[in-house]
């Protein structure tokens, strides 16, 4: 199997240490940034179920909270992706890791970038996602689709990444991860 050039570029520029969780004093989570094994990779995203307490209806990567027995972010990301969208853990080939990010809800999120088959067999858990879909990774390199917005929470102002894709707005950690990814994959030069 030949690895697509974009994924090879990511593998050459992203660390892949697979180390154990650090001893953070905050809740931790991991997401699987699943890229398809195609010349023009697509990225797997989902619309979180509307009934969820945190981030309902938002576009997100499969992933979730670290469990006590999870030895590393990769274990968490693979387990959660299997539970939420049915991706077999054996079909997830680790490519690299992006730096952890903090969510507005106080979680430290570890993005784990992986290659999956071009047409993965998906079984969506309706308790987690209302729908899942794949979009071309390259579409997130378009500066016209990306913007930073200032959000005010009490006395704190922060810049938050946003994408507009069709009728969807993808924002926050998910948008930041996508922007970081295309900055490496395509030298997109998006200002974070």
């Amino acid at each position: 199997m030949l690895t697509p050039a974009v994924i090879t570029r990511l593998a050459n520029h992203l660390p892949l240490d697979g180390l154990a969780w650090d001893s953070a004093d905050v809740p931790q989570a991991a997401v699987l940034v699943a890229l398809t094994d195609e010349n023009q990779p697509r990225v797997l995203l989902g619309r979180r179920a509307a009934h969820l307490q945190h981030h309902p209806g938002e576009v997100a990567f499969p992933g979730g909270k670290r469990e006590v027995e999870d030895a590393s972010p990769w274990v968490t990301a693979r387990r959660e992706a299997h539970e939420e969208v049915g991706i077999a853990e054996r079909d997830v080939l680790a490519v690299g890791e992006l730096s952890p990010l903090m969510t507005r809800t106080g979680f430290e999120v570890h993005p784990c970038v992986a290659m999956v088959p071009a047409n993965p067999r998906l079984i969506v858990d309706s308790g987690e996602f209302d729908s899942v879909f794949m979009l071309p990774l390259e579409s997130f390199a378009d500066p016209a689709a990306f913007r930073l917005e200032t959000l005010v929470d009490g006395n704190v102002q922060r810049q938050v990444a946003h994408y507009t894709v069709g009728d969807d707005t993808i924002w926050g950690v998910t948008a930041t991860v996508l922007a970081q990814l295309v900055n490496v994959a395509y030298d997109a030069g998006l200002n974070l």
Side-chain angles (χ1 to χ4, degrees):
M1 171 175 69
L2 290 174
T3 303
V6 169
I7 293 177
T8 298
R9 180 177 173 84
L10 288 168
N12 288 336
H13 289 84
L14 296 178
L16 181 59
D17 52 19
L19 295 176
W21 288 99
D22 59 18
S23 57
D25 293 332
V26 297
Q28 295 174 313
V31 295
L32 186 71
V33 183
L35 305 175
T36 58
D37 181 15
E38 301 173 279
N39 285 335
Q40 298 299 320
R42 293 172 293 148
V43 60
L44 176 69
L45 296 163
R47 180 169 310 288
R48 290 178 48 83
H51 69 271
L52 292 173
Q53 180 180 0
H54 297 290
H55 312 286
E58 292 181 13
V59 175
F61 299 107
K65 189 175 168 182
R66 170 189 180 186
E67 298 293 338
V68 174
E69 64 274 7
D70 292 348
S72 72
W74 280 99
V75 171
T76 302
R78 284 184 169 113
R79 176 183 50 75
E80 289 284 339
H82 179 70
E83 292 172 3
E84 295 177 350
V85 298
I87 293 178
E89 292 185 35
R90 70 180 175 278
D91 289 340
V92 176
L93 177 65
V95 172
E97 302 161 10
L98 292 168
S99 297
L101 300 164
M102 289 299 294
T103 68
R104 62 186 161 95
T105 56
F107 273 83
E108 179 184 82
V109 177
H110 293 251
C112 298
V113 181
M115 186 171 66
V116 298
N119 295 301
R121 182 173 174 263
L122 302 176
I123 303 167
V124 181
D125 178 350
S126 61
E128 297 288 341
F129 285 102
D130 285 339
S131 63
V132 294
F133 50 94
M134 292 187 194
L135 296 172
L137 179 62
E138 190 173 31
S139 65
F140 294 100
D142 179 3
F146 178 79
R147 69 186 183 282
L148 288 176
E149 289 187 6
T150 301
L151 290 185
V152 179
D153 185 12
N155 294 330
V156 178
Q157 286 189 7
R158 59 190 174 112
Q159 296 290 310
V160 179
H162 282 73
Y163 276 100
T164 302
V165 180
D167 293 335
D168 285 319
T169 297
I170 301 170
W171 68 289
V173 167
T174 303
T176 301
V177 167
L178 289 166
Q180 288 177 344
L181 200 58
V182 297
N183 277 346
V184 174
Y186 302 106
D187 290 324
L190 301 177
N191 182 14
L192 292 168

